[in-house]
Amino acid sequence: MSRNPYALNGNGDYRNGYNDSDPYLSNRVGQLRDPSNDSSSRSRERTEEQPSRRAGRPGGYGGYGGFGDIRNYQPSPVGKPTELERRRANQRSGDKEKWNNSRSRSRPEGSPDVGDGTRQMEDVLGYIDRQWAFMTERECVPVQIALKLLDTSSLGLANQYGQFKDTNQQLHDALKTIVNEHHQGFNSSIGTFHKIQSSIQVSQARVRDLKESLVQARFNLSTTKPELKGFASTSQNYDDMLQVLSLIEEVQLVPEKLEGRISEKRFISAVEVLQDALRLIRRSDMENIGALSDLRVYLSNQEHSLTDILIEELHSHLYLKSPYCENRWKVHTQAQSKGGGSDAPSSILDSGRRHLYEFLDGLDTSAQMTEDVNRNPEADTFRYIQLILESLNKMGRLETAMESIEQRMPVELFRIVEKSNTEVDQRHPSSLRGFTSTQQVGIEMITSGTDARSRVLRDLLWTIYAKFEAIAEGHRAVHDIVAGISRRDGMRDTATVTGNFKELWKLYQNEMAPMVQELAANEAEASSSEANAIEQKLADLDNKATELATEREDLEAILKSSVPGLVSDSRKQDIIVSTDTNTLQDGSATGHKLLIDPTVFNMGVLLPLSLTFLDRLKEIVPPGPDIVMSTLTSFLDDFLVNVFQPQLDETLMDLCAQIFVELDAFQTDAQWETYAQKPIFKGTIRFYNLVSAVCNMLSSLPHDQAFSQLIITQMSTYFDKCRGWFKAMVSRPQSQGGGGRTLKAAALSAESGDLSDIVSALSDPSLDGGASQQLIDKEVEHLVLSTRERPLEDSDLISDRKNIAALCLLYTSMKWLGARAKSLRYISNRAVDSSRNTSRSGPKRRWTTLGSSESSPSSDLDDRSAYLPLNPETAQVFDGVVNNYQYLADLVLRTLHLELRVHTLHHLTSSLTGAYALSCPVGEPDSGILTLNADLNGFDEELSTYFRLAQRRFVTTGLGALMDALLLHAAARVNTMNEHGCGRMQLGILVLQQNLKNIEPTASLHRSAEFFALFSQGPDAVVGRAKEAQAAREKGEELGAVVFSYDEMKVLVELCYSEAVRGDKRDVAVSAKRAMDDHLLQLSEYMWQT
């Protein structure tokens, strides 16, 4: 029948208006309301309930026992449905439309199995679920519903009372229809009852006959018969023989069963089968059976074979040979290399580690492990190891297995490293990691995380350490399992079966220490270690000569018989040695092929990955006194103290010396635009690349200041080198005198003194116009006075334009290097100066504990790719070196500033010395002025090429003021000047003015031009200018744009009479002298106050 939801009536039960006096109706309604009473569930229910029904019948299987006393039969009342049945009914009624559709498809209209009464009942129940569902709930109170049906208020249900009555009537009609449809079933049950009753009577007769037979058998057995004793003895012998035959048959099935268990990796059951078979075949009653001798030998051999199989399976999972162990470690990828530093390696096997912890947390060795035949035993490698160890323990071979693990451990680890080496070698072709010089290896490997050698090294270390960690996890599982088994079995001496972890750590050290030392060694030590490896291999070959003797003799016999004379006795050993030597050319002290160049710069990759591995290994090491955690990194400490620091110092000195002595170190780099905005030295770029490479390496090492001090020392050495080169550029020739001066005039004045202070003050960008002009005037005054005291020579000038360009390059290089070096400065909270903390008699430095387990300080580095970890004391020394770079740059800038003025002083002073009394007009200026213009133009071109606008302005600003003042001061050194000479002087001033506009646009020579313009007007005009100036001062008016001092006006008057005073005619000279004195007297009267 179809599934029908339940419904409650108003009385709280499921009778819905009919009483339970009618058992048929009661049972039928229960069947209609049973959700499991569908067509499929009825047949299943009949099948499942037959035993219980038969158990309640008196006739058992002999026939139907009836219902007992039919007269006392009372129909059982229909109970309320459980909460689960209500929930299932509600779920079916919740999807009524879908249920109705499916019902209509599966049971079409007019189906012979369903009557009209059933359909009516289903419709009524569906309507109740839709309209009166609240009455089917457990919390429904009939009295409360009745009151609501009588309640005519808005909250009552009086308006639905008619529908309630109609539904009740429809339910009664449906029940009546069902009764009418099934009345024939009641009639047929009467005849069936009579048949069952007759069957019960027949069964009772058979039981009576059986009772009589049992009484007769008892009587017969109580009678004594002597011949039965012989029969019993013979029967017992026959039973023993049959039992032995059955045991033989059972033992004969053992090989097939045992091989099946082994092939299915069900080793515990295989051990049980084998041990049961051995116990059977070794029984006293089966010892004399000759047919079982072969089987007895087979089982004995299988005991040893199974032990070997278990040990091999254990090693297969311990050393990652099984394909099911691939998920315990993962291959290094390029994205992990780009992740940063010691990025990458801090999460080598997190998923495997979680698996180990989950296994250890759930490990229970208090009871023997049971096999799960429904799953692959190798899927969980740790449970598979436990399965193997339990099997070995069951066989009594656990101690043998532990000894085998310890004996094979060196070979297995060597194979792991060799296999990893081969895998990495195949993944990275040798053409992409060709061997180059030490400098290129160091810089490229550390500066570029995507460098081929860096990728190879990271891949190699990642692969080896990932496998080592997975192997350590397997040994940790073995340790805990064996320890648990030992406790369970009551073993006293557990050290012999749990001490392999200490041996594993020693072998890890033996593999890691030579590998780190070789990969971080310099070229000379690498060659030495390779030679030692070859010698060691040859020594091993001699030790194994007895094993190779037979093979060698066979080979020689074959060669002699095939080609006589091909191999002589004197060449035997040479051939073997040379062959072995050629085979080992690619080897190393560890016996493995070196995939990359050994260099100290590999330490930037070696140490972080090694420390990360050791830190993670500390979490795997089982607790106990065998291994002291603090000694795990002792071999790295020894290497860092005794090998790495001296090697780094030596290598860094060699690389820096190579940069310093290169011929193009102080030449412009062809690719300077990649690094700076202005050209810089090639050597500076190389030096900074080296420094940043080493800093990048040191940032991944423990932040010990002994390493940082090496960088600071080389930076200071480079400053000394650049300063020495600067000294060489600005030094005077030794053959020429200079009053004891060793430097050129500009460099000497730029280093120290008042003039150096003035120029330094001029470089302050915060100066306003007035303060800057005062400093310029002060500078001009100092320059003019210094020239008077010590005249300039040609050797005081930097005349070669290439030298000017070189000084400009030095300035830009020092500025660039200082800025870049300053960006490397980082005060590390993990910085430790171990050289100060360690006394002579104190313990060794533990560098690997100075932050090996701490994360890199990336939060406060502003995404810097390289930084130099410093402490406050070392930072002061570092800042001093950076300030030296800035000092040298400022010194060069001051030197260039003064050099331009020295050129101006020298050329103008030389050109204005002598007589300017010309007999005819001259159309070109003095040669000294032309030379000065050429020097200024060349100087300005170099400044434009190498300097920014601010530095260029600093060098050129104030040059016009110096020329203007120098022309006036130099006029006093002119002996004689006439009109033609004044014209040439004015032409020179004009040429200087025009050329100066290209260098200093705001410069003007208006005072010198006005000075010589007054000369052309004569002495009366000079005195008249003084008189006008006095009148303006008396009236408080402003003076003219150009104001001259008394000394300047005096020189001008003397120049006006210089030709006449120094003439050949005495009377003219005397007259001119008297007129000059008169004009000078007038001039002194007008300008005495000035």
Side-chain angles (χ1 to χ4, degrees):
M1 296 182 67
S2 61
R3 300 176 181 177
N4 297 321
Y6 291 101
L8 291 170
N9 62 5
N11 297 325
D13 56 17
Y14 290 78
R15 291 187 290 275
N16 287 315
Y18 64 91
N19 55 23
D20 52 2
S21 61
D22 190 346
Y24 173 79
L25 289 180
S26 176
N27 292 333
R28 189 59 183 169
V29 170
Q31 292 176 1
L32 288 176
R33 298 187 181 277
D34 188 359
S36 62
N37 199 18
D38 54 5
S39 58
S40 60
S41 62
R42 282 202 311 268
S43 60
R44 183 172 62 253
E45 182 182 16
R46 284 194 299 269
T47 303
E48 295 175 353
E49 291 182 357
Q50 275 182 358
S52 62
R53 290 177 179 177
R54 283 195 293 265
R57 297 167 185 172
Y61 288 95
Y64 184 75
F67 292 96
D69 191 359
I70 192 67
R71 293 169 297 181
N72 298 327
Y73 171 76
Q74 292 295 333
S76 60
V78 179
K80 294 184 179 181
T82 62
E83 184 178 357
L84 177 62
E85 293 172 342
R86 290 177 180 272
R87 190 159 52 248
R88 292 168 55 190
N90 291 335
Q91 290 177 355
R92 286 193 298 271
S93 64
D95 197 7
K96 195 173 305 300
E97 182 177 359
K98 180 178 179 180
W99 178 75
N100 289 334
N101 294 335
S102 63
R103 181 185 61 183
S104 63
R105 289 195 300 268
S106 62
R107 190 177 62 198
E109 191 72 25
S111 175
D113 295 337
V114 180
D116 293 337
T118 302
R119 295 191 188 93
Q120 293 177 10
M121 180 63 68
E122 290 177 353
D123 294 340
V124 172
L125 293 177
Y127 177 77
I128 291 174
D129 288 338
R130 291 191 302 272
Q131 300 296 330
W132 303 90
F134 59 89
M135 295 186 65
T136 64
E137 297 177 354
R138 181 181 295 273
E139 293 79 7
C140 177
V141 179
V143 176
Q144 182 180 1
I145 301 301
L147 294 175
K148 286 185 178 182
L149 290 173
L150 297 176
D151 189 2
T152 58
S153 64
S154 59
L155 299 177
L157 300 176
N159 56 347
Q160 299 182 13
Y161 182 69
Q163 298 179 6
F164 180 80
K165 293 176 62 179
D166 295 341
T167 303
N168 187 26
Q169 185 61 37
Q170 292 175 7
L171 188 61
H172 279 283
D173 294 341
L175 290 174
K176 290 180 180 180
T177 305
I178 289 175
V179 172
N180 294 332
E181 289 178 355
H182 297 281
H183 69 279
Q184 294 180 355
F186 290 99
N187 295 333
S188 62
S189 65
I190 297 174
T192 304
F193 172 75
H194 291 295
K195 292 180 181 180
I196 294 172
Q197 189 176 19
S198 62
S199 298
I200 292 174
Q201 293 175 355
V202 173
S203 298
Q204 290 175 349
R206 293 177 60 187
V207 168
R208 285 193 293 270
D209 294 340
L210 181 61
K211 181 179 180 180
E212 293 176 358
S213 299
L214 290 174
V215 172
Q216 184 64 32
R218 180 181 180 183
F219 176 77
N220 294 333
L221 291 174
S222 62
T223 304
T224 302
K225 294 182 178 181
E227 65 272 13
L228 291 179
K229 184 177 180 180
F231 292 157
S233 177
T234 305
S235 176
Q236 183 64 36
N237 293 334
Y238 287 156
D239 289 342
D240 293 341
M241 294 174 62
L242 290 175
Q243 186 177 3
V244 171
L245 290 176
S246 64
L247 291 177
I248 292 174
E249 292 179 356
E250 182 179 350
V251 171
Q252 287 178 344
L253 296 176
V254 166
E256 181 180 357
K257 187 183 298 184
L258 182 62
E259 292 175 0
R261 298 289 191 276
I262 294 175
S263 62
E264 294 175 0
K265 304 297 180 66
R266 296 169 57 187
F267 293 119
I268 292 181
S269 59
V271 171
E272 292 175 350
V273 169
L274 179 60
Q275 289 180 340
D276 293 341
L278 288 173
R279 280 193 298 269
L280 288 175
I281 207 167
R282 291 172 181 172
R283 288 174 55 174
S284 59
D285 55 349
M286 301 184 72
E287 286 288 341
N288 299 324
I289 301 177
L292 296 178
S293 59
D294 294 339
L295 186 58
R296 188 177 293 107
V297 174
Y298 169 79
L299 292 178
S300 299
N301 294 335
Q302 282 297 106
E303 187 176 11
H304 298 286
S305 299
L306 182 57
T307 303
D308 295 338
I309 291 173
L310 290 174
I311 292 176
E312 287 299 326
E313 287 292 324
L314 180 60
H315 281 80
S316 177
H317 278 259
L318 277 180
Y319 299 104
L320 312 177
K321 301 177 185 179
S322 173
Y324 294 96
C325 299
E326 293 179 355
N327 60 344
R328 291 174 56 190
W329 71 282
K330 47 190 175 183
V331 181
H332 181 262
T333 60
Q334 180 63 23
Q336 292 164 340
S337 294
K338 295 179 180 179
S342 58
D343 53 332
S346 61
S347 56
I348 296 178
L349 288 174
D350 288 337
S351 59
R353 179 67 56 79
R354 290 194 298 269
H355 186 197
L356 173 65
Y357 292 155
E358 292 174 359
F359 171 76
L360 295 180
D361 292 340
L363 179 62
D364 183 13
T365 56
S366 59
Q368 185 177 348
M369 181 181 181
T370 58
E371 292 177 327
D372 187 358
V373 297
N374 297 323
R375 57 181 298 177
N376 184 3
E378 286 190 276
D380 188 344
T381 181
F382 297 129
R383 288 191 60 83
Y384 187 65
I385 291 175
Q386 183 182 5
L387 173 67
I388 295 173
L389 293 175
E390 290 280 3
S391 303
L392 288 168
N393 181 60
K394 197 175 185 66
M395 294 180 67
R397 302 297 179 89
L398 184 60
E399 186 173 351
T400 303
M402 295 299 103
E403 293 176 357
S404 177
I405 291 176
E406 184 174 357
Q407 293 172 1
R408 293 177 54 175
M409 196 179 296
V411 178
E412 295 291 348
L413 290 181
F414 181 86
R415 290 175 180 174
I416 285 290
V417 177
E418 186 66 24
K419 183 179 179 181
S420 302
N421 218 32
T422 304
E423 292 174 355
V424 174
D425 192 15
Q426 293 175 354
R427 287 198 293 265
H428 302 276
S430 57
S431 59
L432 299 180
R433 47 184 169 88
F435 286 66
T436 57
S437 65
T438 304
Q439 178 186 7
Q440 294 177 351
V441 169
I443 294 177
E444 291 177 5
M445 177 172 291
I446 306 303
T447 56
S448 177
T450 60
D451 179 74
R453 298 174 190 84
S454 177
R455 290 198 301 270
V456 172
L457 183 57
R458 289 181 182 275
D459 192 0
L460 176 63
L461 294 178
W462 182 289
T463 304
I464 292 176
Y465 289 159
K467 291 182 178 180
F468 276 7
E469 185 174 355
I471 292 170
E473 291 176 356
H475 279 271
R476 172 63 187 276
V478 170
H479 177 277
D480 288 14
I481 294 170
V482 173
I485 293 175
S486 301
R487 289 192 300 269
R488 184 186 68 198
D489 296 345
M491 295 183 184
R492 295 182 179 179
D493 186 12
T494 61
T496 58
V497 293
T498 59
N500 290 334
F501 215 97
K502 184 177 181 180
E503 184 66 22
L504 176 68
W505 166 238
K506 291 181 181 178
L507 293 174
Y508 276 176
Q509 281 187 333
N510 294 338
E511 288 292 340
M512 292 176 61
M515 178 177 62
V516 172
Q517 291 179 7
E518 286 189 355
L519 291 175
N522 52 32
E523 295 178 352
E525 293 182 355
S527 302
S528 176
S529 63
E530 183 177 349
N532 294 335
I534 296 176
E535 294 177 0
Q536 182 64 31
K537 289 294 183 179
L538 292 178
D540 294 341
L541 181 61
D542 293 337
N543 295 331
K544 301 174 183 177
T546 56
E547 301 177 5
L548 300 176
T550 304
E551 298 292 337
R552 186 168 62 250
E553 291 175 358
D554 293 341
L555 178 61
E556 291 171 0
I558 294 173
L559 292 176
K560 285 182 178 180
S561 61
S562 301
V563 185
L566 178 61
V567 180
S568 62
D569 295 336
S570 62
R571 296 285 295 172
K572 293 178 183 177
Q573 190 65 22
D574 295 338
I575 293 174
I576 297 174
V577 174
S578 61
T579 303
D580 189 73
T581 303
N582 294 333
T583 305
L584 296 171
Q585 283 182 354
D586 290 334
S588 63
T590 60
H592 307 291
K593 179 182 178 181
L594 289 177
L595 302 183
I596 60 172
D597 290 327
T599 173
V600 70
F601 293 100
N602 290 336
M603 204 63 186
V605 180
L606 280 169
L607 188 61
L609 290 175
S610 300
L611 291 179
T612 301
F613 165 68
L614 293 177
D615 286 340
R616 295 175 66 84
L617 189 63
K618 292 178 182 178
E619 303 175 6
I620 304 175
V621 174
D626 292 339
I627 300 178
V628 181
M629 296 296 179
S630 59
T631 62
L632 289 180
T633 58
S634 58
F635 72 98
L636 285 179
D637 290 318
D638 296 338
F639 173 74
L640 289 173
V641 174
N642 301 323
V643 180
F644 174 66
Q645 186 185 6
Q647 282 185 359
L648 179 61
D649 190 10
E650 180 183 355
T651 304
L652 193 58
M653 290 178 62
D654 293 342
L655 293 177
C656 291
Q658 183 179 354
I659 293 174
F660 298 159
V661 301
E662 287 180 348
L663 298 177
D664 58 351
F666 291 99
Q667 295 181 5
T668 305
D669 192 287
Q671 299 179 354
W672 61 268
E673 295 179 351
T674 309
Y675 302 94
Q677 297 180 354
K678 289 296 181 179
I680 55 178
F681 287 141
K682 182 181 293 185
T684 303
I685 295 177
R686 292 178 179 175
F687 177 73
Y688 176 75
N689 287 339
L690 177 61
V691 170
S692 61
V694 179
C695 289
N696 196 10
M697 179 187 67
L698 294 183
S699 62
S700 59
L701 301 181
H703 293 180
D704 193 273
Q705 297 308 290
F707 296 145
S708 301
Q709 189 61 45
L710 299 178
I711 298 294
I712 297 174
T713 301
Q714 295 304 319
M715 292 175 64
S716 179
T717 303
Y718 187 68
F719 165 75
D720 295 336
K721 186 71 176 179
C722 293
R723 182 178 177 85
W725 185 80
F726 168 74
K727 293 286 187 180
M729 294 291 296
V730 297
S731 295
R732 291 170 57 92
Q734 297 296 330
S735 59
Q736 299 181 9
R741 291 180 294 176
T742 58
L743 300 178
K744 296 182 181 295
L748 185 62
S749 300
E751 276 195 337
S752 61
D754 296 337
L755 193 56
S756 176
D757 297 338
I758 295 172
V759 177
S760 299
L762 278 172
S763 62
D764 188 0
S766 62
L767 286 176
D768 56 5
S772 177
Q773 186 61 43
Q774 291 179 3
L775 289 174
I776 290 174
D777 295 340
K778 192 174 181 180
E779 179 191 25
V780 170
E781 182 180 355
H782 276 76
L783 287 171
V784 173
L785 291 177
S786 62
T787 306
R788 287 180 179 178
E789 295 174 358
R790 182 176 294 178
L792 296 173
E793 302 174 358
D794 291 337
S795 58
D796 288 320
L797 305 180
I798 304 176
S799 56
D800 192 353
R801 184 173 174 179
K802 294 181 179 180
N803 293 344
I804 299 297
L807 290 176
C808 294
L809 270 175
L810 179 60
Y811 169 79
T812 56
S813 300
M814 290 297 101
K815 290 289 288 186
W816 179 83
L817 181 60
R820 288 301 182 94
K822 191 175 182 180
S823 66
L824 298 175
R825 186 182 188 273
Y826 172 70
I827 303 297
S828 174
N829 55 359
R830 296 187 288 138
V832 176
D833 193 353
S834 58
S835 59
R836 295 184 179 181
N837 298 334
T838 304
S839 61
R840 293 183 179 180
S841 60
K844 294 182 179 180
R845 285 175 284 188
R846 298 300 307 281
W847 273 340
T848 53
T849 62
L850 303 180
S852 59
S853 61
E854 300 178 20
S855 59
S856 59
S858 58
S859 59
D860 53 350
L861 288 179
D862 301 329
D863 298 331
R864 282 183 279 179
S865 60
Y867 63 92
L868 182 63
L870 304 169
N871 61 12
E873 293 77 11
T874 315
Q876 293 180 0
V877 182
F878 178 81
D879 293 339
V881 176
V882 175
N883 292 336
N884 287 340
Y885 291 148
Q886 183 65 41
Y887 164 76
L888 184 57
D890 294 340
L891 178 61
V892 173
L893 188 63
R894 293 196 302 271
T895 301
L896 292 173
H897 177 92
L898 293 175
E899 184 63 28
L900 189 62
R901 283 143 184 81
V902 168
H903 276 260
T904 303
L905 287 169
H906 177 69
H907 290 297
L908 284 183
T909 303
S910 61
S911 64
L912 295 179
T913 302
Y916 266 75
L918 304 178
S919 59
C920 61
V922 178
E924 60 182 13
D926 189 79
S927 60
I929 294 177
L930 296 177
T931 303
L932 175 60
N933 282 341
D935 290 350
L936 293 179
N937 290 332
F939 214 112
D940 187 61
E941 289 179 4
E942 299 299 336
L943 293 177
S944 301
T945 302
Y946 297 103
F947 279 6
R948 297 182 181 180
L949 183 59
Q951 286 77 28
R952 181 188 174 193
R953 286 180 177 175
F954 169 73
V955 175
T956 58
T957 300
L959 187 60
L962 175 63
M963 288 185 179
D964 203 10
L966 191 59
L967 287 170
L968 295 180
H969 285 81
R973 304 175 62 180
V974 177
N975 297 328
T976 307
M977 177 179 287
N978 58 11
E979 189 66 27
H980 297 305
C982 181
R984 190 180 187 186
M985 179 63 72
Q986 289 177 328
L987 179 60
I989 293 172
L990 180 61
V991 171
L992 288 173
Q993 176 70 45
Q994 295 298 327
N995 186 65
L996 196 59
K997 289 291 185 181
N998 300 325
I999 300 174
E1000 186 183 6
T1002 59
S1004 175
L1005 305 179
H1006 59 283
R1007 295 186 79 251
S1008 55
E1010 183 67 21
F1011 182 83
F1012 289 102
L1014 284 176
F1015 175 85
S1016 300
Q1017 297 176 9
D1020 295 332
V1022 175
V1023 175
R1025 171 68 68 88
K1027 184 178 180 181
E1028 293 175 0
Q1030 182 188 15
R1033 283 194 296 269
E1034 292 176 354
K1035 295 180 181 180
E1037 298 177 357
E1038 294 183 0
L1039 302 178
V1042 179
V1043 179
F1044 299 104
S1045 65
Y1046 171 76
D1047 295 334
E1048 293 171 345
M1049 298 291 277
K1050 179 182 178 181
V1051 171
L1052 185 57
V1053 171
E1054 291 176 350
L1055 283 177
C1056 292
Y1057 290 100
S1058 61
E1059 184 180 17
V1061 171
R1062 291 177 176 83
D1064 297 335
K1065 298 180 180 181
R1066 181 176 178 78
D1067 53 346
V1068 175
V1070 173
S1071 176
K1073 178 65 174 174
R1074 188 181 297 111
M1076 182 181 68
D1077 293 339
D1078 183 52
H1079 282 89
L1080 289 176
L1081 181 59
Q1082 296 179 23
L1083 184 64
S1084 63
E1085 292 177 356
Y1086 295 135
M1087 301 188 69
W1088 67 271
Q1089 294 180 349
T1090 61

